[in-house]
Amino acid sequence: MAAENDTLRMVLLGPPGAGKGTQAPNLVNKFGACHLSTGDMLRSQISKKTELGLQAKKIMDAGGLISDDIMVGMIKGELENNPACKKGFILDGFPRTIPQAEKLDAMLAEKNIPLQKALELKVDDELLVARITGRLVHPASGRSYHKLFNPPKVPGKDDVTGEPLVQRSDDNADALKKRLATYHKQTEPIVKYYQKTGVWAAVDASQNPKNVWSDILKCLGQ
Ligand code: AP5
């Protein structure tokens, strides 16, 4: 884990489709930190057909959450063992519950590397349906596109590798309704938690992605 003071250690918060996965690569390019997406980690377990992947798929498709212990263990393992995280980290999709946020703080306090920013991407629910149902992803990298708002250069193909893009199995209107309900009930309270610890900031993520990115930079003092 990063020990220097000039590294970026942050959490991206926001509902499904807020743009966490879209903005995280910009942060990685700018700051050189690692991007840890718990959703991508779980999807990798699903594609490898592990026991965890088989269990997780059912929960994800139903819009629920995987247990805190499993998710905390996953993030702890990455932060401690992934060399890319020596330059800091951008957590996307974690923490998602208050116990996850508390355990993350405890983990970082132990290493004396406190979280610097919890950045909330704010978007009204009504805008998210179009974003989620039009999304295409490149499973191997986690890169995210949109049929209308952020189309790939060649339809249906990843810009970098040319490999096929797919739609996530939880990216449909029904599952989204459940994911949003879970977000408001279990994840949104984290905003207050980070307001109290003093690291919270928010940007208007209903703007176009370039403006969202420039507001993120302002929040980070750039
Ligand atoms: P996860 O993969 O984390 O999904 P999510 O939080 O629902 O977030 P998304 O990936 O759907 O949205 P995003 O904000 O990244 O949006 P994106 O940038 O792609 O988690 C999936 C599941 O795993 C969970 O439901 C849960 O079951 C489980 N899980 C994961 N972490 C867990 C944890 N810690 N604990 C327990 N369970 C956990 O953008 C969306 C679309 O909009 C794209 O097409 C994009 O091109 C477009 N777009 C982005 N920004 C803009 C913009 N500004 N204007 C127009 N279009 C835009």
Side-chain angles (χ1 to χ4, degrees):
M1 235 191 286
E4 300 81 7
N5 288 327
D6 58 348
T7 52
L8 182 67
R9 299 184 296 274
M10 71 177 288
V11 160
L12 276 176
L13 290 171
K20 305 180 294 294
T22 300
Q23 298 297 338
N26 295 333
L27 287 160
V28 173
N29 288 340
K30 173 98 185 153
F31 297 98
C34 67
H35 171 209
L36 300 180
S37 157
T38 41
D40 286 349
M41 290 178 202
L42 290 166
R43 282 183 286 278
S44 153
Q45 295 290 319
I46 293 173
S47 69
K48 288 180 198 150
K49 296 191 166 57
T50 63
E51 188 59 38
L52 168 62
L54 294 173
Q55 297 297 324
K57 183 165 184 346
K58 287 183 212 152
I59 298 170
M60 289 163 80
D61 286 349
L65 296 182
I66 310 327
S67 85
D68 289 338
D69 284 349
I70 291 177
M71 300 316 300
V72 170
M74 246 184 208
I75 286 293
K76 190 167 192 281
E78 286 293 319
L79 290 179
E80 287 180 347
N81 303 316
N82 183 340
C85 298
K86 288 209 183 322
K87 291 183 188 157
F89 53 80
I90 297 137
L91 303 186
D92 158 2
F94 183 97
R96 240 180 170 95
T97 62
I98 296 280
Q100 290 183 16
E102 289 171 342
K103 283 183 180 145
L104 176 65
D105 274 348
M107 215 189 287
L108 299 178
E110 225 173 72
K111 313 260 179 201
N112 200 21
I113 49 164
L115 197 64
Q116 295 161 324
K117 197 64 87 185
L119 191 67
E120 183 188 4
L121 302 181
K122 279 173 96 79
V123 194
D124 288 341
D125 288 6
E126 302 81 72
L127 277 182
L128 300 172
V129 179
R131 286 196 189 179
I132 288 292
T133 52
R135 170 165 56 186
L136 295 169
V137 292
H138 177 242
S141 67
R143 274 184 289 278
S144 164
Y145 301 83
H146 192 280
K147 287 174 194 168
L148 300 175
F149 308 143
N150 180 24
K153 289 176 190 146
V154 178
K157 300 273 162 79
D158 176 47
D159 286 353
V160 178
T161 62
E163 287 166 356
L165 301 174
V166 301
Q167 189 156 35
R168 276 168 44 176
S169 62
D170 58 348
D171 274 357
N172 56 72
D174 271 356
L176 176 63
K177 230 183 248 173
K178 293 174 196 148
R179 287 160 63 196
L180 280 172
T182 304
Y183 178 80
H184 292 305
K185 193 168 170 213
Q186 291 184 261
T187 308
E188 218 164 26
I190 296 178
V191 166
K192 282 214 173 75
Y193 174 88
Y194 283 130
Q195 283 170 341
K196 278 191 201 144
T197 62
V199 294
W200 173 85
V203 300
D204 172 7
S206 62
Q207 319 169 76
N208 75 54
K210 280 194 181 134
N211 292 351
V212 176
W213 173 233
S214 93
D215 281 0
I216 290 176
L217 287 176
K218 279 182 213 150
C219 272
L220 296 174
Q222 300 281 312

